[in-house]
Amino acid sequence: MTANLRLRVTVQDAWDEIPLDLPPGTSLAELKVLALKATKVMRDPDEYLLKFRGAELYDESRSLTDAGLVANGAVIVLPRRRRPVR
């Protein structure tokens, strides 16, 4: 039995850090959806990207461990496109 992986996920739209305990086999796409739901961001998940240690995680079909995420790692969910500043 494999223990869950605890991650600290920040969604830029809400600037909230959410702790998530997920099985290591969870896909990056599912992580993104769960983080957006937890912060009540009601946008299409495809409009967002994931970053870990400053690098974008491109292949969201990979599992958390395959992507190199570690326990207590910090992941950021960012909009793909920049928004204009007014």
Side-chain angles (χ1 to χ4, degrees), residues 37-78:
K37 282 184 182 179
T39 56
K40 301 189 180 14
V41 174
M42 301 300 189
R43 298 180 143 238
D44 182 10
D46 291 335
E47 294 179 17
Y48 291 86
L49 58 90
L50 294 170
K51 282 195 170 186
F52 177 64
R53 294 183 175 162
E56 183 176 347
L57 302 172
Y58 290 103
D59 184 3
E60 293 182 3
S61 65
R62 293 189 306 166
S63 71
L64 302 177
T65 52
D66 289 345
L69 274 65
V70 295
N72 206 33
V75 179
I76 300 176
V77 181
L78 300 162

mmCIF file of all heavy atoms in Angstrom, residues 37-78:
data_model
loop_
_atom_site.group_PDB
_atom_site.id
_atom_site.type_symbol
_atom_site.label_atom_id
_atom_site.label_comp_id
_atom_site.label_asym_id
_atom_site.label_seq_id
_atom_site.Cartn_x
_atom_site.Cartn_y
_atom_site.Cartn_z
ATOM 1 N N LYS A 37 -11.535 23.382 -8.162
ATOM 2 C CA LYS A 37 -12.801 23.184 -7.441
ATOM 3 C C LYS A 37 -12.676 23.625 -5.993
ATOM 4 O O LYS A 37 -13.586 24.235 -5.445
ATOM 5 C CB LYS A 37 -13.230 21.724 -7.500
ATOM 6 C CG LYS A 37 -13.854 21.338 -8.798
ATOM 7 C CD LYS A 37 -14.345 19.898 -8.767
ATOM 8 C CE LYS A 37 -14.934 19.510 -10.094
ATOM 9 N NZ LYS A 37 -15.400 18.113 -10.106
ATOM 10 N N ALA A 38 -11.548 23.310 -5.352
ATOM 11 C CA ALA A 38 -11.343 23.659 -3.945
ATOM 12 C C ALA A 38 -11.329 25.160 -3.722
ATOM 13 O O ALA A 38 -11.733 25.645 -2.666
ATOM 14 C CB ALA A 38 -10.052 23.038 -3.437
ATOM 15 N N THR A 39 -10.877 25.922 -4.721
ATOM 16 C CA THR A 39 -10.844 27.387 -4.598
ATOM 17 C C THR A 39 -12.054 28.040 -5.245
ATOM 18 O O THR A 39 -12.129 29.259 -5.333
ATOM 19 C CB THR A 39 -9.567 27.962 -5.228
ATOM 20 O OG1 THR A 39 -9.471 27.532 -6.581
ATOM 21 C CG2 THR A 39 -8.334 27.547 -4.450
ATOM 22 N N LYS A 40 -12.985 27.208 -5.720
ATOM 23 C CA LYS A 40 -14.233 27.682 -6.328
ATOM 24 C C LYS A 40 -14.014 28.521 -7.591
ATOM 25 O O LYS A 40 -14.765 29.440 -7.877
ATOM 26 C CB LYS A 40 -15.079 28.430 -5.308
ATOM 27 C CG LYS A 40 -15.431 27.547 -4.115
ATOM 28 C CD LYS A 40 -16.421 28.159 -3.217
ATOM 29 C CE LYS A 40 -16.808 27.327 -2.035
ATOM 30 N NZ LYS A 40 -16.104 26.204 -1.618
ATOM 31 N N VAL A 41 -12.969 28.208 -8.328
ATOM 32 C CA VAL A 41 -12.712 28.849 -9.615
ATOM 33 C C VAL A 41 -13.518 28.074 -10.654
ATOM 34 O O VAL A 41 -13.299 26.888 -10.853
ATOM 35 C CB VAL A 41 -11.205 28.845 -9.967
ATOM 36 C CG1 VAL A 41 -10.984 29.374 -11.364
ATOM 37 C CG2 VAL A 41 -10.433 29.661 -8.947
ATOM 38 N N MET A 42 -14.459 28.743 -11.292
ATOM 39 C CA MET A 42 -15.389 28.078 -12.208
ATOM 40 C C MET A 42 -15.023 28.291 -13.675
ATOM 41 O O MET A 42 -15.876 28.579 -14.492
ATOM 42 C CB MET A 42 -16.820 28.591 -11.967
ATOM 43 C CG MET A 42 -17.314 28.359 -10.586
ATOM 44 S SD MET A 42 -17.304 26.606 -10.264
ATOM 45 C CE MET A 42 -18.153 26.545 -8.736
ATOM 46 N N ARG A 43 -13.779 28.169 -14.016
ATOM 47 C CA ARG A 43 -13.333 28.304 -15.397
ATOM 48 C C ARG A 43 -12.913 26.948 -15.925
ATOM 49 O O ARG A 43 -12.695 26.009 -15.171
ATOM 50 C CB ARG A 43 -12.159 29.281 -15.478
ATOM 51 C CG ARG A 43 -12.540 30.659 -15.034
ATOM 52 C CD ARG A 43 -11.362 31.590 -15.119
ATOM 53 N NE ARG A 43 -11.912 32.854 -15.563
ATOM 54 C CZ ARG A 43 -11.545 33.486 -16.650
ATOM 55 N NH1 ARG A 43 -10.586 33.049 -17.383
ATOM 56 N NH2 ARG A 43 -12.110 34.609 -16.992
ATOM 57 N N ASP A 44 -12.760 26.878 -17.223
ATOM 58 C CA ASP A 44 -12.340 25.646 -17.876
ATOM 59 C C ASP A 44 -10.916 25.298 -17.434
ATOM 60 O O ASP A 44 -10.012 26.136 -17.564
ATOM 61 C CB ASP A 44 -12.408 25.847 -19.390
ATOM 62 C CG ASP A 44 -12.030 24.619 -20.174
ATOM 63 O OD1 ASP A 44 -11.887 23.539 -19.572
ATOM 64 O OD2 ASP A 44 -11.898 24.739 -21.406
ATOM 65 N N PRO A 45 -10.679 24.101 -16.916
ATOM 66 C CA PRO A 45 -9.324 23.725 -16.495
ATOM 67 C C PRO A 45 -8.284 23.810 -17.614
ATOM 68 O O PRO A 45 -7.100 23.997 -17.344
ATOM 69 C CB PRO A 45 -9.484 22.274 -16.024
ATOM 70 C CG PRO A 45 -10.915 22.151 -15.674
ATOM 71 C CD PRO A 45 -11.653 23.069 -16.608
ATOM 72 N N ASP A 46 -8.727 23.693 -18.873
ATOM 73 C CA ASP A 46 -7.782 23.802 -19.993
ATOM 74 C C ASP A 46 -7.210 25.207 -20.133
ATOM 75 O O ASP A 46 -6.218 25.401 -20.837
ATOM 76 C CB ASP A 46 -8.447 23.386 -21.303
ATOM 77 C CG ASP A 46 -8.735 21.902 -21.347
ATOM 78 O OD1 ASP A 46 -8.033 21.137 -20.639
ATOM 79 O OD2 ASP A 46 -9.657 21.490 -22.071
ATOM 80 N N GLU A 47 -7.815 26.196 -19.477
ATOM 81 C CA GLU A 47 -7.301 27.563 -19.508
ATOM 82 C C GLU A 47 -6.163 27.771 -18.509
ATOM 83 O O GLU A 47 -5.642 28.873 -18.394
ATOM 84 C CB GLU A 47 -8.425 28.553 -19.195
ATOM 85 C CG GLU A 47 -9.521 28.604 -20.233
ATOM 86 C CD GLU A 47 -10.620 29.588 -19.874
ATOM 87 O OE1 GLU A 47 -10.404 30.457 -19.001
ATOM 88 O OE2 GLU A 47 -11.702 29.485 -20.472
ATOM 89 N N TYR A 48 -5.787 26.716 -17.784
ATOM 90 C CA TYR A 48 -4.766 26.817 -16.750
ATOM 91 C C TYR A 48 -3.630 25.847 -17.006
ATOM 92 O O TYR A 48 -3.795 24.836 -17.676
ATOM 93 C CB TYR A 48 -5.383 26.514 -15.369
ATOM 94 C CG TYR A 48 -6.337 27.589 -14.931
ATOM 95 C CD1 TYR A 48 -7.665 27.561 -15.321
ATOM 96 C CD2 TYR A 48 -5.902 28.647 -14.147
ATOM 97 C CE1 TYR A 48 -8.545 28.547 -14.938
ATOM 98 C CE2 TYR A 48 -6.770 29.645 -13.764
ATOM 99 C CZ TYR A 48 -8.088 29.594 -14.158
ATOM 100 O OH TYR A 48 -8.950 30.588 -13.794
ATOM 101 N N LEU A 49 -2.459 26.158 -16.449
ATOM 102 C CA LEU A 49 -1.302 25.286 -16.523
ATOM 103 C C LEU A 49 -0.778 25.051 -15.120
ATOM 104 O O LEU A 49 -1.120 25.785 -14.190
ATOM 105 C CB LEU A 49 -0.220 25.871 -17.427
ATOM 106 C CG LEU A 49 0.349 27.251 -17.099
ATOM 107 C CD1 LEU A 49 1.552 27.130 -16.174
ATOM 108 C CD2 LEU A 49 0.766 27.937 -18.375
ATOM 109 N N LEU A 50 0.046 24.037 -14.984
ATOM 110 C CA LEU A 50 0.658 23.699 -13.697
ATOM 111 C C LEU A 50 2.148 23.973 -13.750
ATOM 112 O O LEU A 50 2.799 23.714 -14.768
ATOM 113 C CB LEU A 50 0.461 22.216 -13.388
ATOM 114 C CG LEU A 50 -0.955 21.736 -13.142
ATOM 115 C CD1 LEU A 50 -0.978 20.213 -13.100
ATOM 116 C CD2 LEU A 50 -1.482 22.292 -11.852
ATOM 117 N N LYS A 51 2.678 24.477 -12.631
ATOM 118 C CA LYS A 51 4.126 24.671 -12.518
ATOM 119 C C LYS A 51 4.610 24.055 -11.210
ATOM 120 O O LYS A 51 3.936 24.143 -10.186
ATOM 121 C CB LYS A 51 4.487 26.157 -12.535
ATOM 122 C CG LYS A 51 4.454 26.761 -13.909
ATOM 123 C CD LYS A 51 5.156 28.097 -13.926
ATOM 124 C CE LYS A 51 5.321 28.571 -15.356
ATOM 125 N NZ LYS A 51 6.114 29.793 -15.398
ATOM 126 N N PHE A 52 5.785 23.440 -11.295
ATOM 127 C CA PHE A 52 6.438 22.861 -10.125
ATOM 128 C C PHE A 52 7.909 23.221 -10.203
ATOM 129 O O PHE A 52 8.550 22.979 -11.227
ATOM 130 C CB PHE A 52 6.250 21.338 -10.104
ATOM 131 C CG PHE A 52 6.947 20.649 -8.984
ATOM 132 C CD1 PHE A 52 6.587 20.890 -7.670
ATOM 133 C CD2 PHE A 52 7.976 19.751 -9.232
ATOM 134 C CE1 PHE A 52 7.230 20.248 -6.630
ATOM 135 C CE2 PHE A 52 8.620 19.104 -8.208
ATOM 136 C CZ PHE A 52 8.245 19.351 -6.895
ATOM 137 N N ARG A 53 8.415 23.849 -9.149
ATOM 138 C CA ARG A 53 9.807 24.311 -9.099
ATOM 139 C C ARG A 53 10.155 25.206 -10.287
ATOM 140 O O ARG A 53 11.227 25.131 -10.857
ATOM 141 C CB ARG A 53 10.769 23.135 -9.014
ATOM 142 C CG ARG A 53 10.640 22.364 -7.720
ATOM 143 C CD ARG A 53 11.638 21.249 -7.627
ATOM 144 N NE ARG A 53 11.541 20.621 -6.310
ATOM 145 C CZ ARG A 53 12.023 19.431 -6.028
ATOM 146 N NH1 ARG A 53 12.639 18.737 -6.960
ATOM 147 N NH2 ARG A 53 11.892 18.938 -4.828
ATOM 148 N N GLY A 54 9.186 26.027 -10.692
ATOM 149 C CA GLY A 54 9.401 27.007 -11.748
ATOM 150 C C GLY A 54 9.233 26.498 -13.163
ATOM 151 O O GLY A 54 9.262 27.269 -14.102
ATOM 152 N N ALA A 55 9.044 25.203 -13.321
ATOM 153 C CA ALA A 55 8.923 24.622 -14.667
ATOM 154 C C ALA A 55 7.484 24.182 -14.915
ATOM 155 O O ALA A 55 6.831 23.625 -14.029
ATOM 156 C CB ALA A 55 9.856 23.433 -14.812
ATOM 157 N N GLU A 56 7.026 24.411 -16.143
ATOM 158 C CA GLU A 56 5.678 23.981 -16.499
ATOM 159 C C GLU A 56 5.637 22.461 -16.642
ATOM 160 O O GLU A 56 6.552 21.845 -17.167
ATOM 161 C CB GLU A 56 5.234 24.626 -17.811
ATOM 162 C CG GLU A 56 3.814 24.276 -18.181
ATOM 163 C CD GLU A 56 3.309 24.970 -19.422
ATOM 164 O OE1 GLU A 56 3.956 25.924 -19.896
ATOM 165 O OE2 GLU A 56 2.254 24.553 -19.922
ATOM 166 N N LEU A 57 4.564 21.886 -16.148
ATOM 167 C CA LEU A 57 4.326 20.446 -16.288
ATOM 168 C C LEU A 57 3.430 20.267 -17.503
ATOM 169 O O LEU A 57 2.227 20.445 -17.433
ATOM 170 C CB LEU A 57 3.666 19.899 -15.019
ATOM 171 C CG LEU A 57 4.456 20.110 -13.732
ATOM 172 C CD1 LEU A 57 3.628 19.722 -12.518
ATOM 173 C CD2 LEU A 57 5.753 19.320 -13.777
ATOM 174 N N TYR A 58 4.038 19.936 -18.642
ATOM 175 C CA TYR A 58 3.322 19.924 -19.912
ATOM 176 C C TYR A 58 2.384 18.731 -20.082
ATOM 177 O O TYR A 58 1.257 18.890 -20.505
ATOM 178 C CB TYR A 58 4.317 19.937 -21.084
ATOM 179 C CG TYR A 58 5.034 21.251 -21.222
ATOM 180 C CD1 TYR A 58 6.343 21.395 -20.791
ATOM 181 C CD2 TYR A 58 4.392 22.353 -21.766
ATOM 182 C CE1 TYR A 58 6.996 22.601 -20.906
ATOM 183 C CE2 TYR A 58 5.040 23.567 -21.895
ATOM 184 C CZ TYR A 58 6.346 23.685 -21.457
ATOM 185 O OH TYR A 58 6.989 24.883 -21.570
ATOM 186 N N ASP A 59 2.863 17.547 -19.793
ATOM 187 C CA ASP A 59 2.069 16.338 -20.042
ATOM 188 C C ASP A 59 1.206 16.042 -18.821
ATOM 189 O O ASP A 59 1.640 15.381 -17.883
ATOM 190 C CB ASP A 59 2.986 15.161 -20.354
ATOM 191 C CG ASP A 59 2.225 13.903 -20.712
ATOM 192 O OD1 ASP A 59 0.978 13.952 -20.774
ATOM 193 O OD2 ASP A 59 2.878 12.865 -20.929
ATOM 194 N N GLU A 60 -0.030 16.514 -18.849
ATOM 195 C CA GLU A 60 -0.912 16.379 -17.695
ATOM 196 C C GLU A 60 -1.522 14.992 -17.564
ATOM 197 O O GLU A 60 -2.256 14.725 -16.622
ATOM 198 C CB GLU A 60 -2.000 17.450 -17.739
ATOM 199 C CG GLU A 60 -1.433 18.834 -17.549
ATOM 200 C CD GLU A 60 -2.484 19.923 -17.539
ATOM 201 O OE1 GLU A 60 -3.689 19.614 -17.628
ATOM 202 O OE2 GLU A 60 -2.095 21.095 -17.433
ATOM 203 N N SER A 61 -1.197 14.095 -18.472
ATOM 204 C CA SER A 61 -1.672 12.714 -18.344
ATOM 205 C C SER A 61 -0.749 11.907 -17.424
ATOM 206 O O SER A 61 -1.108 10.815 -16.981
ATOM 207 C CB SER A 61 -1.757 12.040 -19.711
ATOM 208 O OG SER A 61 -0.466 11.910 -20.280
ATOM 209 N N ARG A 62 0.418 12.445 -17.115
ATOM 210 C CA ARG A 62 1.366 11.751 -16.232
ATOM 211 C C ARG A 62 0.861 11.756 -14.794
ATOM 212 O O ARG A 62 0.126 12.637 -14.371
ATOM 213 C CB ARG A 62 2.739 12.408 -16.279
ATOM 214 C CG ARG A 62 3.408 12.262 -17.611
ATOM 215 C CD ARG A 62 4.841 12.709 -17.609
ATOM 216 N NE ARG A 62 4.962 14.067 -17.093
ATOM 217 C CZ ARG A 62 6.108 14.626 -16.728
ATOM 218 N NH1 ARG A 62 7.226 13.951 -16.809
ATOM 219 N NH2 ARG A 62 6.140 15.855 -16.296
ATOM 220 N N SER A 63 1.327 10.788 -14.023
ATOM 221 C CA SER A 63 0.971 10.729 -12.607
ATOM 222 C C SER A 63 1.841 11.710 -11.818
ATOM 223 O O SER A 63 2.846 12.218 -12.330
ATOM 224 C CB SER A 63 1.162 9.316 -12.069
ATOM 225 O OG SER A 63 2.543 9.017 -11.975
ATOM 226 N N LEU A 64 1.463 11.926 -10.578
ATOM 227 C CA LEU A 64 2.215 12.842 -9.723
ATOM 228 C C LEU A 64 3.663 12.383 -9.565
ATOM 229 O O LEU A 64 4.586 13.192 -9.686
ATOM 230 C CB LEU A 64 1.547 12.941 -8.343
ATOM 231 C CG LEU A 64 0.096 13.411 -8.314
ATOM 232 C CD1 LEU A 64 -0.436 13.392 -6.886
ATOM 233 C CD2 LEU A 64 -0.053 14.799 -8.921
ATOM 234 N N THR A 65 3.862 11.094 -9.326
ATOM 235 C CA THR A 65 5.232 10.598 -9.145
ATOM 236 C C THR A 65 6.008 10.603 -10.455
ATOM 237 O O THR A 65 7.197 10.900 -10.458
ATOM 238 C CB THR A 65 5.241 9.190 -8.523
ATOM 239 O OG1 THR A 65 4.402 8.344 -9.288
ATOM 240 C CG2 THR A 65 4.758 9.224 -7.092
ATOM 241 N N ASP A 66 5.347 10.292 -11.567
ATOM 242 C CA ASP A 66 6.027 10.326 -12.864
ATOM 243 C C ASP A 66 6.488 11.736 -13.214
ATOM 244 O O ASP A 66 7.486 11.923 -13.912
ATOM 245 C CB ASP A 66 5.129 9.800 -13.980
ATOM 246 C CG ASP A 66 4.921 8.298 -13.903
ATOM 247 O OD1 ASP A 66 5.685 7.621 -13.179
ATOM 248 O OD2 ASP A 66 3.979 7.802 -14.552
ATOM 249 N N ALA A 67 5.759 12.735 -12.735
ATOM 250 C CA ALA A 67 6.110 14.131 -13.008
ATOM 251 C C ALA A 67 7.187 14.643 -12.055
ATOM 252 O O ALA A 67 7.675 15.758 -12.214
ATOM 253 C CB ALA A 67 4.864 14.999 -12.907
ATOM 254 N N GLY A 68 7.552 13.846 -11.054
ATOM 255 C CA GLY A 68 8.618 14.239 -10.138
ATOM 256 C C GLY A 68 8.164 15.028 -8.932
ATOM 257 O O GLY A 68 8.996 15.572 -8.210
ATOM 258 N N LEU A 69 6.866 15.072 -8.664
ATOM 259 C CA LEU A 69 6.379 15.782 -7.490
ATOM 260 C C LEU A 69 6.770 15.015 -6.237
ATOM 261 O O LEU A 69 6.792 13.783 -6.232
ATOM 262 C CB LEU A 69 4.861 15.972 -7.554
ATOM 263 C CG LEU A 69 4.397 17.209 -8.321
ATOM 264 C CD1 LEU A 69 4.743 17.134 -9.781
ATOM 265 C CD2 LEU A 69 2.925 17.422 -8.142
ATOM 266 N N VAL A 70 7.075 15.760 -5.189
ATOM 267 C CA VAL A 70 7.528 15.159 -3.933
ATOM 268 C C VAL A 70 6.599 15.572 -2.805
ATOM 269 O O VAL A 70 5.843 16.540 -2.921
ATOM 270 C CB VAL A 70 8.974 15.595 -3.606
ATOM 271 C CG1 VAL A 70 9.952 15.052 -4.633
ATOM 272 C CG2 VAL A 70 9.081 17.107 -3.525
ATOM 273 N N ALA A 71 6.673 14.847 -1.704
ATOM 274 C CA ALA A 71 5.848 15.161 -0.537
ATOM 275 C C ALA A 71 6.102 16.592 -0.073
ATOM 276 O O ALA A 71 7.245 17.051 -0.036
ATOM 277 C CB ALA A 71 6.150 14.184 0.590
ATOM 278 N N ASN A 72 5.032 17.301 0.224
ATOM 279 C CA ASN A 72 5.047 18.700 0.660
ATOM 280 C C ASN A 72 5.556 19.646 -0.427
ATOM 281 O O ASN A 72 5.963 20.761 -0.140
ATOM 282 C CB ASN A 72 5.845 18.862 1.958
ATOM 283 C CG ASN A 72 5.383 20.077 2.746
ATOM 284 O OD1 ASN A 72 4.209 20.440 2.718
ATOM 285 N ND2 ASN A 72 6.302 20.703 3.443
ATOM 286 N N GLY A 73 5.532 19.203 -1.674
ATOM 287 C CA GLY A 73 5.953 20.048 -2.792
ATOM 288 C C GLY A 73 4.920 21.126 -3.078
ATOM 289 O O GLY A 73 3.728 20.956 -2.825
ATOM 290 N N ALA A 74 5.391 22.240 -3.581
ATOM 291 C CA ALA A 74 4.518 23.377 -3.899
ATOM 292 C C ALA A 74 4.249 23.414 -5.404
ATOM 293 O O ALA A 74 5.174 23.477 -6.203
ATOM 294 C CB ALA A 74 5.164 24.679 -3.452
ATOM 295 N N VAL A 75 2.975 23.367 -5.754
ATOM 296 C CA VAL A 75 2.534 23.418 -7.146
ATOM 297 C C VAL A 75 1.706 24.679 -7.319
ATOM 298 O O VAL A 75 0.939 25.054 -6.430
ATOM 299 C CB VAL A 75 1.688 22.171 -7.499
ATOM 300 C CG1 VAL A 75 1.204 22.231 -8.931
ATOM 301 C CG2 VAL A 75 2.477 20.904 -7.253
ATOM 302 N N ILE A 76 1.853 25.354 -8.460
ATOM 303 C CA ILE A 76 1.078 26.567 -8.748
ATOM 304 C C ILE A 76 0.205 26.316 -9.969
ATOM 305 O O ILE A 76 0.665 25.763 -10.963
ATOM 306 C CB ILE A 76 2.002 27.773 -9.006
ATOM 307 C CG1 ILE A 76 2.867 28.040 -7.783
ATOM 308 C CG2 ILE A 76 1.185 29.012 -9.350
ATOM 309 C CD1 ILE A 76 3.876 29.147 -7.973
ATOM 310 N N VAL A 77 -1.056 26.737 -9.872
ATOM 311 C CA VAL A 77 -1.996 26.664 -10.993
ATOM 312 C C VAL A 77 -2.157 28.090 -11.514
ATOM 313 O O VAL A 77 -2.624 28.970 -10.798
ATOM 314 C CB VAL A 77 -3.363 26.090 -10.552
ATOM 315 C CG1 VAL A 77 -4.299 26.001 -11.737
ATOM 316 C CG2 VAL A 77 -3.182 24.726 -9.900
ATOM 317 N N LEU A 78 -1.722 28.315 -12.758
ATOM 318 C CA LEU A 78 -1.724 29.652 -13.360
ATOM 319 C C LEU A 78 -2.572 29.684 -14.625
ATOM 320 O O LEU A 78 -2.649 28.684 -15.345
ATOM 321 C CB LEU A 78 -0.302 30.035 -13.778
ATOM 322 C CG LEU A 78 0.760 30.089 -12.711
ATOM 323 C CD1 LEU A 78 2.134 30.047 -13.342
ATOM 324 C CD2 LEU A 78 0.591 31.347 -11.917
#
